[in-house]
Amino acid sequence: MAEATPQTIYLKDYTPFGYQVDEVHLTFHLSPKATRVVSRIEFTPKPDAVERSFFLHGEQLKLIAAKIDGQPVSPDVTAQGLTCDVPSTPFVWESEVEISPVTNTALEGLYMSNGMYCTQCEAEGFRKITYYPDRPDVMSTFTVRIEGDEKVLLSNGNPTDSGEGWAEWHDPWPKPAYLFALVAGDLVNHPDSFTTASGQDVELNIWVRPGDEGKCAFGMEALKKSMTWDEQVYGLEYDLDIFNIVAVDDFNMGAMENKGLNIFNSSCVLASPETSTDANFERIEAIIAHEYFHNWTGNRITCRDWFQLCLKEGLTVYRDSQFTSDMRSASVKRISDVIDLRGRQFAEDNGPLAHQVRPESFQEINNFYTATIYEKGAEVIGMLKRLVGDEAYAKAVALYFERHDGQACTIEDWLQVFEDSTGRDLSQFSKWYSQAGTPRIKVTDDYSDGTYTLTLEQSTPPTPGQPDKDPRVIPVAVGLLGQNGDEVRGTEVLELTEAKQSFSFDGLASKPVPSILREFSAPIIMERESTNAERAFLLAHDSDSFNRWEAGNTLAKEARVAMVLDAAAPDADYLDALTKLVRDDSLDPAFRALVLSPPSQSDLAQTLFERGHTPDPQAIYDAAETFAQTLAEALTDSLPRLYADTTVQGAYSSDAESAGKRDLNARILSLLTRLDGGEAAARQYDAADNMTQQNAALACLLKAENGEAQSQAFYDQWQGDRLVMDKWFGLQVACSAPKKAASAAANLTEHALFDLKNPNRFRAVMGALAMNQAGFHYEGGAGYQLLADNLIALDALNPQTTARMCSAFQTWKRYDSTRQELIRAQLERISATDNLSRDTNEMVSRILNG
Ligand code: BES
Ligand code: ZN
C-alpha cells in the first residue's frame, strides 16, 4: 500500500499563484552529501489574487534558515512544502536548505552521476532543490552562483563571471522552475559556433566525460541543422549567447530542454560509427532537434499547468517529425511513425491506461508523459494543419508566437490563434483533446451510373471514465485509382464531421479502387471489407507511399491472422508479391525494408482482440516464424545475391540512404540465416567495422542460437563502453526464444555489470523482456514474476522509471483467463508492497481497475 491516500489533482481546480516572482537568486555550495542551497526570491502579492496563502513546494529538504526582508521567520513545514505569514507588500524571501545529491537515486532534483552533479526538474523536481512555487505558470529570471571544486560549472542563460571554484550565470528570459538546470563536473567539451539569421553569434558546446570527446561531432551537426531549420521553416531564432548540451549516463528520460543547458541521456547524444547503430544516429538527430525546438515551443511559450503538457510536447514532436522528414525521407518517416503509434499509442488508447490528449486529472504527472500526450498530441497538430492548410497553419503559428511569447498557455490559447487567423470554428475539433480512445471508421462504398460513393461511419469505444463519445471532425485523405492502376482522382481531404456521412465522386467510367486514409491522415482504426487482390493492387500501384506500405502491411497481417486462426499456410499470392518487391531494385531500399518488416507481435495481438479472439502470443510467434521460414525458402535462389547487392561498401556514413540500404541488408541477412544457419552472419560479424552491421549480425546469430562465440567476443570488445553494453544486455533477451527469455533476463540481472540504479541498463534487460511478447507472456508466468520482482526492487530507488515500466502489463485484459490471473497476482503483489511510490501505485491501480 502507498503511504497515504493518494491525492488527485484536477484541471478544474486551477487557480493562479497569488504572488508574482520578480527575481530569483540561487547560490549552490556543492557537496555530495550536504549541498547547501541559498535562495533569495523577490515576491510581489498580486492585487487581484484569489488565493492568498503563501505556499512554497519543498520535498526532502532540510530547512536551515528562512527570512523575510532580512528577519528570521518560522514557517509551517510539511513533507510537501511550507506556508508562512508574509507581508501584503513586495518582500524578499530567503532560505537556506541542505540536500544530499549522492543519495538521490530517483534522478529527480539535484543528483550525481559518475561523480558529476546534474539536475532534472521537469515536471516537479525543483521542489527537491529549494522551497519554491514549483508550477509552470510561475515564471521568473534566474541568477545562479555555483561554488564547487569541479572544473566545469554550468547553469541556464549566459555566463556572467567566474573564478577559481565558482561561476555565475544569468538567464534573462523568464522561465518556470522546471527549466532550471545545473551541471558541475570534470567535463570536456566539443565546441562549435553558430551565427543566427539576424547575425547573433552563439557559442555551442557538447560537454561529456573525458574519453567521450570523439562521439560528439554528429550531435553537433544535428544541433546546427536544427537551428538553421527552425529559422527557415518557422522563422525562429536562438536567443542566448551560448547553448550547452551535457551528456549524462544516469537519466530517466531521453533528454531535457532546460533553457540554454539541455541535458541528455548519453545514449541520446553520443554517437560514433563503431558504437552506434543507424537507428541510434537517427534518434540522436531527432532528439537534439526536439529539445532545441522546445526553446520556442515550451520555453519561450510554456504550459499554464501540467494538464497542458501536449501544448509543448505534442507540438514539439510534430516539429521534430517535420525536421526528420526534411532531413531524411518523408515517406519512410511517416511509415515509421505510424508503426510506432500503433504499437504504443493504440495499445494505450485501447486499454486501462487510456486518457485524453489533455487529461483532466492525475495523481502523479510523471505518469502522463505518454504516447497519447506525445504521439497522439502530434497527430492532432498534423490533422489541424491538414484541415486548415499549410499557409493558414504557418499564419496561425506565427500569431501564436507573437501573441503568447513569454506566457504560460493553454490548449484554448493554441486553438484560439487558429480560430482568429482562419475564422474557423474549432469547437468540434477540440474533442480530439477532450475525448480519449481511438475512433473506428467503418467504410462502405457503392458505384452506380458513374458515381462512386464512400460512406464513413465513426464511433469510439468507451474508455475509463468516458463511456460515451461525440463524433469528431476527422480528415480522411482519399484518392481513387482506375482499373489500370492510374490515379483517376488525386488526393482530396474528406471532412468527416457526422456520425455517418457519405461522399460522392462523379464522372467515373468504371468502379475505382479507393486509396483511403492516405498518409495516415488521422489516428483512427479503419474497418473496411477488402480483398487480398485489392490490397495487392494498391501495393503495386498506389501513388501514396504510405498506403502502398499499408496495403502490404494489411496483407502481412491477414496472412498471419489466417495462420493463427485457421492454421492456414502462408498466403501464396502475398508471398509472391513480397518476393517480387524484395527483388525490385527500382524501389527505395528503405521502403523495401519496411515492407519486409513483419507487423509487430503486439499489433497482431491487438488486431485479433479487436475481432473478438483471444490472442495466443505463442501462436502469433509461431506464425511469424513459419512465415519468415517460408519466405526465406521461397527466396532461396535470390538471397545470396540480394545480400551481396545490398551490402554497403566503403567507409560508414549515417545518411538516410545508406541506413536504408543497411536496414534492407539486415532483413535479408536474417532470412539468409534461416537457410545457412549463420554462416553469412558470422562472416559479417567478423568483417564489420561499424556497430550497425556488428549488431545486426550478432542479433541473427543469437536468434539462431549459434552466437555464443560472437556474444563473448562482443562482450570482451565492449565491456568498457556502457552504451554498447546496454545493447549486449538487450540483445540476449530480445533474441531469446520465448521459453528462454525470462531465464535469460533473470541471469542477466545477476551479471556483475547489471545495475538497477542505471535506467538504461534496467531498461535494456526489462524493456527487452516486455518487448519480447511471446517470451514475456510465455506460459507459466515466469516473465511476469521476474518483471514484478524487479519493479518492486526498483521502486524503492527510482519511482519514475518503475512506474513507466508498469505499462508492460497494460494489455493484460487481451489475454486468456490463465494469463490474466497470473498477471493480476503480480499486479496485486506490486500494489501490496510497503511504501510503494505514488508513481507506481497510480499506474498499478489504473491498470488493475481501468
Ligand atoms: N521534456 C521532455 C523530457 C521529460 C520528460 C522530462 C518527462 C521530465 C519528465 C523532453 O522534451 C522529451 O520530450 N524527451 C523525450 C524525447 C523526445 C524526442 C520525444 C524523451 O526523453 O523521451
Ligand atoms: Zn519534449
Side-chain angles (χ1 to χ4, degrees):
M1 280 299 288
E3 260 180 291
T5 324
Q7 208 196 329
T8 302
I9 323 279
Y10 295 93
L11 168 61
K12 64 175 167 44
D13 292 343
Y14 172 82
T15 29
F17 188 52
Y19 300 81
Q20 179 170 314
V21 178
D22 303 308
E23 259 189 71
V24 178
H25 287 257
L26 299 172
T27 303
F28 288 82
H29 306 274
L30 295 175
S31 162
K33 275 191 230 148
T35 288
R36 288 283 173 110
V37 185
V38 180
S39 75
R40 183 181 187 283
I41 308 169
E42 296 175 20
F43 287 101
T44 302
K46 289 184 190 161
D48 52 351
V50 187
E51 178 58 61
R52 271 262 158 264
S53 98
F54 184 74
F55 174 75
L56 301 181
H57 295 102
E59 289 176 13
Q60 295 159 40
L61 305 173
K62 186 161 135 199
L63 181 61
I64 308 291
K67 288 182 209 163
I68 288 180
D69 291 333
Q71 299 303 310
V73 290
S74 308
D76 290 328
V77 180
T78 69
Q80 279 73 48
L82 60 76
T83 46
C84 195
D85 290 332
V86 298
S88 53
T89 50
F91 61 92
V92 177
W93 161 268
E94 289 169 284
S95 78
E96 179 164 358
V97 300
E98 191 181 288
I99 54 180
S100 169
V102 76
T103 52
N104 179 353
T105 55
L107 314 182
E108 216 185 35
L110 178 66
Y111 65 94
M112 298 193 80
S113 170
N114 290 319
M116 104 192 224
Y117 293 87
C118 64
T119 55
Q120 171 55 41
C121 292
E122 187 178 2
E124 299 182 332
F126 192 72
R127 62 191 63 182
K128 294 180 168 180
I129 293 177
T130 192
Y131 286 100
Y132 197 75
D134 186 9
R135 37 186 292 166
D137 58 344
V138 172
M139 299 171 82
S140 176
T141 56
F142 281 65
T143 304
V144 176
R145 179 183 168 88
I146 311 169
E147 296 182 7
D149 302 330
E150 291 69 23
K151 292 197 190 101
V152 178
L153 305 170
L154 307 173
S155 191
N156 315 92
N158 297 318
T160 46
D161 203 359
S162 63
E164 189 62 31
W166 63 275
E168 286 177 358
W169 292 79
H170 175 69
D171 183 358
W173 299 105
K175 67 166 176 289
Y178 84 84
L179 291 172
F180 168 81
L182 176 151
V183 168
D186 294 332
L187 303 173
V188 291
N189 66 326
H190 176 101
D192 208 324
S193 66
F194 184 84
T195 305
T196 68
S198 66
Q200 300 298 308
D201 290 323
V202 184
E203 180 186 331
L204 310 175
N205 288 299
I206 297 181
W207 296 93
V208 297
R209 291 165 69 190
D212 284 337
E213 308 86 312
K215 296 182 180 176
C216 301
F218 179 80
M220 185 56 86
E221 289 312 307
L223 174 60
K224 290 188 289 181
K225 282 192 219 168
S226 307
M227 296 176 87
T228 303
W229 186 91
D230 218 12
E231 290 182 348
Q232 290 176 347
V233 178
Y234 279 84
L236 300 171
E237 278 186 36
Y238 189 60
D239 54 7
L240 289 166
D241 304 339
I242 187 166
F243 188 81
N244 285 313
I245 287 178
V246 180
V248 178
D249 283 338
D250 301 282
F251 201 73
N252 281 332
M253 302 291 291
M256 177 64 207
E257 71 265 26
N258 317 298
K259 183 82 187 188
L261 178 52
N262 287 4
I263 298 183
F264 274 63
N265 186 320
S266 49
S267 71
C268 294
V269 54
L270 300 181
S272 76
E274 298 73 36
T275 57
S276 315
T277 62
D278 290 329
N280 295 147
F281 278 97
E282 183 172 341
R283 168 140 171 93
I284 289 168
E285 184 176 85
I287 192 162
I288 287 192
H290 178 97
E291 306 311 336
Y292 174 73
F293 295 159
H294 268 315
N295 191 54
W296 277 93
T297 50
N299 301 3
R300 287 286 286 260
I301 302 180
T302 194
C303 301
R304 187 192 73 172
D305 53 69
W306 291 119
F307 297 103
Q308 321 295 330
L309 183 58
C310 67
L311 179 72
K312 76 178 178 82
E313 294 302 349
L315 178 54
T316 306
V317 169
Y318 184 70
R319 274 151 51 69
D320 83 52
S321 73
Q322 288 183 298
F323 170 77
T324 298
S325 302
D326 287 353
M327 296 298 122
R328 292 167 180 260
S329 151
S331 67
V332 169
K333 172 66 175 162
R334 187 65 190 138
I335 295 165
S336 331
D337 279 354
V338 174
I339 293 173
D340 182 65
L341 187 81
R342 285 183 175 146
R344 299 190 305 119
Q345 202 280 325
F346 281 19
E348 189 166 83
D349 227 0
N350 292 283
L353 297 177
H355 57 275
Q356 299 135 296
V357 171
R358 182 176 59 188
E360 287 169 20
S361 70
F362 61 74
Q363 288 173 13
E364 171 51 60
I365 183 57
N366 281 331
N367 290 336
F368 284 83
Y369 286 75
T370 60
T372 297
I373 307 281
Y374 275 67
E375 274 73 34
K376 191 174 177 182
E379 290 297 320
V380 171
I381 306 230
M383 284 189 288
L384 184 57
K385 179 158 176 275
R386 200 179 287 274
L387 288 169
V388 302
D390 293 355
E391 254 176 63
Y393 172 81
K395 216 175 109 199
V397 170
L399 179 60
Y400 177 65
F401 293 120
E402 186 192 309
R403 186 183 285 179
H404 294 296
D405 187 12
Q407 297 177 1
C409 293
T410 60
I411 287 302
E412 283 73 15
D413 295 326
W414 166 255
L415 290 176
Q416 192 66 50
V417 297
F418 278 82
E419 293 206 332
D420 291 351
S421 73
T422 64
R424 220 185 141 105
D425 177 359
L426 292 173
S427 44
Q428 189 185 14
F429 185 80
S430 72
K431 292 188 194 297
W432 280 105
Y433 290 98
S434 59
Q435 290 188 164
T438 310
R440 310 297 196 265
I441 299 186
K442 212 157 127 197
V443 182
T444 49
D445 63 354
D446 177 66
Y447 175 77
S448 61
D449 298 336
T451 299
Y452 180 68
T453 305
L454 276 173
T455 300
L456 310 181
E457 199 174 343
Q458 62 163 305
S459 65
T460 305
T463 49
Q466 284 193 326
D468 303 310
K469 315 280 160 90
D470 301 326
R472 311 180 200 198
V473 48
I474 306 180
V476 181
V478 172
L480 301 179
L481 279 71
Q483 302 297 336
N484 62 357
D486 288 348
E487 196 163 74
V488 292
R489 283 288 194 287
T491 306
E492 187 179 318
V493 180
L494 311 180
E495 281 185 29
L496 176 62
T497 55
E498 312 290 324
K500 186 172 180 179
Q501 212 172 335
S502 293
F503 301 86
S504 294
F505 304 82
D506 311 322
L508 294 163
S510 59
K511 183 174 182 183
V513 176
S515 165
I516 309 173
L517 210 66
R518 283 185 158 179
E519 285 180 10
F520 201 66
S521 61
I524 58 112
I525 293 173
M526 188 164 76
E527 292 166 356
R528 174 168 179 268
E529 302 266 330
S530 178
T531 61
N532 281 350
E534 190 190 86
R535 292 172 186 130
F537 178 84
L538 288 170
L539 177 58
H541 299 294
D542 203 329
S543 64
D544 182 74
S545 57
F546 175 80
N547 264 2
R548 287 191 75 179
W549 169 81
E550 178 77 322
N553 182 54
T554 310
L555 283 168
K557 262 200 214 172
E558 294 306 330
R560 286 165 180 80
V561 165
M563 290 169 76
V564 169
L565 295 180
D566 310 327
D571 183 75
D573 290 343
Y574 172 53
L575 265 173
D576 198 44
L578 207 50
T579 52
K580 284 208 187 80
L581 263 168
V582 178
R583 288 185 292 225
D584 185 347
D585 294 335
S586 72
L587 291 171
D588 175 12
F591 182 79
R592 284 150 79 195
L594 283 167
V595 173
L596 263 188
S597 80
S600 75
Q601 306 270 301
S602 156
D603 194 3
L604 284 168
Q606 177 69 26
T607 302
L608 285 164
F609 181 66
E610 295 268 324
R611 297 186 191 172
H613 305 285
T614 302
D616 173 358
Q618 185 67 44
I620 294 173
Y621 177 87
D622 292 341
E625 286 297 297
T626 306
F627 192 91
Q629 188 65 35
T630 314
L631 178 62
E633 282 161 15
L635 283 165
T636 305
D637 297 338
S638 325
L639 282 178
R641 181 190 65 80
L642 273 170
Y643 176 68
D645 286 356
T646 55
T647 299
V648 183
Q649 309 287 355
Y652 175 89
S653 150
S654 66
D655 66 275
E657 207 187 311
S658 324
K661 226 171 154 190
R662 275 188 295 267
D663 191 8
L664 178 57
N665 183 251
R667 291 178 199 283
I668 290 167
L669 181 63
S670 89
L671 292 172
L672 190 51
T673 305
R674 291 176 181 277
L675 303 181
D676 76 1
E679 260 175 61
R683 257 180 279 126
Q684 173 166 320
Y685 186 89
D686 290 338
D689 65 353
N690 63 77
M691 183 48 68
T692 308
Q693 288 174 331
Q694 192 178 10
N695 185 76
L698 181 58
C700 289
L701 290 163
L702 288 173
K703 183 104 210 303
E705 303 197 338
N706 191 15
E708 242 169 77
Q710 287 82 0
S711 177
Q712 185 60 47
F714 191 99
Y715 180 88
D716 293 342
Q717 183 182 359
W718 295 115
Q719 55 179 311
D721 187 308
R722 286 235 226 177
L723 296 176
V724 182
M725 283 314 289
D726 289 334
K727 298 187 198 307
W728 184 83
F729 273 87
L731 275 177
Q732 321 278 319
V733 183
C735 300
S736 280
K739 70 166 181 285
K740 297 184 183 161
S743 61
N747 289 338
L748 288 168
T749 62
E750 303 296 322
H751 194 281
L753 294 181
F754 183 75
D755 179 6
L756 207 54
K757 288 189 184 148
N758 178 256
N760 290 359
R761 190 59 47 90
F762 185 84
R763 279 189 289 255
V765 178
M766 290 300 142
L769 175 61
M771 290 290 288
N772 184 334
Q773 291 276 300
F776 182 54
H777 293 286
Y778 193 74
E779 62 186 39
Y784 309 148
Q785 173 153 5
L786 181 71
L787 180 63
D789 287 346
N790 280 275
L791 292 174
I792 290 169
L794 186 64
D795 190 62
L797 301 166
N798 185 335
Q800 195 181 335
T801 290
T802 308
R804 292 185 74 77
M805 201 72 88
C806 289
S807 60
F809 290 118
Q810 72 177 325
T811 53
W812 69 298
K813 291 265 171 85
R814 276 181 196 161
Y815 298 102
D816 53 89
S817 57
T818 311
R819 285 191 171 88
Q820 285 195 31
E821 281 320 306
L822 288 166
I823 295 176
R824 179 196 297 281
Q826 297 306 326
L827 287 168
E828 284 173 350
R829 185 162 70 95
I830 299 171
S831 169
T833 303
D834 282 341
N835 298 320
L836 193 68
S837 68
R838 175 174 60 194
D839 308 53
T840 304
N841 183 64
E842 181 185 25
M843 289 298 279
V844 171
S845 54
R846 282 168 64 207
I847 295 171
L848 272 171
N849 308 321

